[in-house]
Amino acid sequence: MSPSGTFTTTVHPFESPTPHACAYEVGLANATNALVFIGGLGDGPHTVPYPRAIAKRLEAEPDLSYSVFEFRLTSSFTGFGFARLADDVADISALVKYLRSIGKQRVVLLGHSTGSQDCMEYTSPSHDVEPVEGYILQAPVSDRAAMAQEMGEAQLDGGLKVAKELIDAGRGHERMQPEHLSPSFHNTPISAARWYALGATDGEDNYFDPGLPAHVIEPYWQRIDKPLLILHSGNDEFVPRSLDKNALVGYWRSLCQPGIASELSGTIPGAGHRVEEPDSEVWLVNTVVQFLRSVK
């Protein structure tokens, strides 16, 4: 299980587009490699427990020589409402550059929820980023599907129509009114542009919508050229129960270049979105360690 109570972290100030940026390192002292955790909407450093469980396990695997890093992005906590995936990519690349400067040999990105979208966006040729050695996608859910599940598809599309009208009028930076948002977002300031990005079929965040046709999503998976581990949560509360997550993960793997998507990919048994269930967390930790052994 994730260590409870207080814990020790090493703070690394680093140059980033986000002012006063710091990364927080836990786990094996003097590790030569870095596992970088990137949270989802509303997350920030240390809001998801399982990275500390991974760090604890990695202390018992000194031959792997990995420690775990978390950091604050422009979009962390409630900042996501007026940020884009491109902003996250710039922040992540700045951290990778810093990690190289202090001698880290291998850097693997572990995205949770929207952090998984960040990993996908990181591979886009439209960004000039520092290279990494691998990617892990945990809980790669469709925001559109999760929103529709909460507020109904008709109401979602009505709110997206309002957002699109604001964007087309050059007012995409303006805040959406709560009546056009799903209840989970009522207390978070969010722009029309970000709401559209999250919820629209053609939104720039929409990497994991099961309804997207192959000709749209295949280029996303084809451009990944480093080892990839895809882990859906078996009981993810933000995914419709009717969705066959194992089949979806298998389909995504089939779209990747040969040998890129790990055979360890699949669903985490019994896991909710954040993998807070003890047995599920152990399964996740063991699988991540196995994957890191394959990264060269």
Side-chain angles (χ1 to χ4, degrees), residues 91-113:
D91 287 337
I92 296 164
S93 185
L95 176 57
V96 175
K97 182 178 181 179
Y98 167 76
L99 293 173
R100 300 297 189 195
S101 77
I102 61 172
K104 301 301 180 185
Q105 296 175 11
R106 295 177 190 145
V107 178
V108 175
L109 304 183
L110 165 53
H112 158 71
S113 194

Side-chain angles (χ1 to χ4, degrees), residues 34-244:
L35 178 64
V36 176
F37 178 78
I38 308 156
L41 300 181
D43 284 324
H46 320 308
T47 57
V48 177
Y50 74 71
R52 297 193 293 283
I54 294 173
K56 187 69 175 175
R57 171 62 189 280
L58 287 170
E59 289 180 330
E61 306 279 348
D63 59 309
L64 276 176
S65 197
Y66 275 89
S67 58
V68 176
F69 285 79
E70 299 186 56
F71 67 112
R72 183 163 185 168
L73 299 88
T74 297
S75 65
S76 290
F77 303 113
T78 59
F80 70 85
F82 283 79
R84 300 176 60 206
L85 294 183
D87 300 321
D88 293 351
V89 165
D91 287 337
I92 296 164
S93 185
L95 176 57
V96 175
K97 182 178 181 179
Y98 167 76
L99 293 173
R100 300 297 189 195
S101 77
I102 61 172
K104 301 301 180 185
Q105 296 175 11
R106 295 177 190 145
V107 178
V108 175
L109 304 183
L110 165 53
H112 158 71
S113 194
T114 300
S116 297
Q117 277 97 325
D118 285 332
C119 289
M120 297 295 286
E121 184 72 17
Y122 201 84
T123 68
S124 171
S126 63
H127 304 298
D128 182 17
V129 297
E130 297 290 323
V132 297
E133 279 65 50
Y135 304 94
I136 302 172
L137 313 180
Q138 186 273 312
V141 305
S142 164
D143 291 302
R144 175 176 172 80
M147 292 169 182
Q149 182 173 270
E150 184 177 27
M151 66 188 301
E153 193 163 340
Q155 188 177 353
L156 171 62
D157 287 340
L160 291 171
K161 181 180 178 182
V162 172
K164 187 66 163 60
E165 289 170 352
L166 288 169
I167 293 167
D168 290 346
R171 298 163 58 194
H173 62 283
E174 292 188 13
R175 180 178 178 176
M176 292 288 291
Q177 294 303 304
E179 60 264 27
H180 300 306
L181 307 175
S182 60
S184 296
F185 292 87
H186 282 181
N187 294 324
T188 303
I190 187 165
S191 70
R194 188 63 197 265
W195 187 246
Y196 192 87
L198 289 167
T201 301
D202 60 346
E204 60 185 29
D205 291 36
N206 195 22
Y207 280 107
F208 304 127
D209 185 344
L212 290 176
H215 75 270
V216 171
I217 65 170
E218 184 174 14
Y220 304 151
W221 297 99
Q222 278 284 309
R223 72 194 187 199
I224 301 172
D225 60 358
K226 298 292 172 60
L228 171 69
L229 175 64
I230 311 169
L231 296 175
H232 243 304
S233 289
N235 294 335
D236 197 312
E237 60 271 28
F238 297 111
V239 177
R241 291 186 179 184
S242 59
L243 180 66
D244 186 336

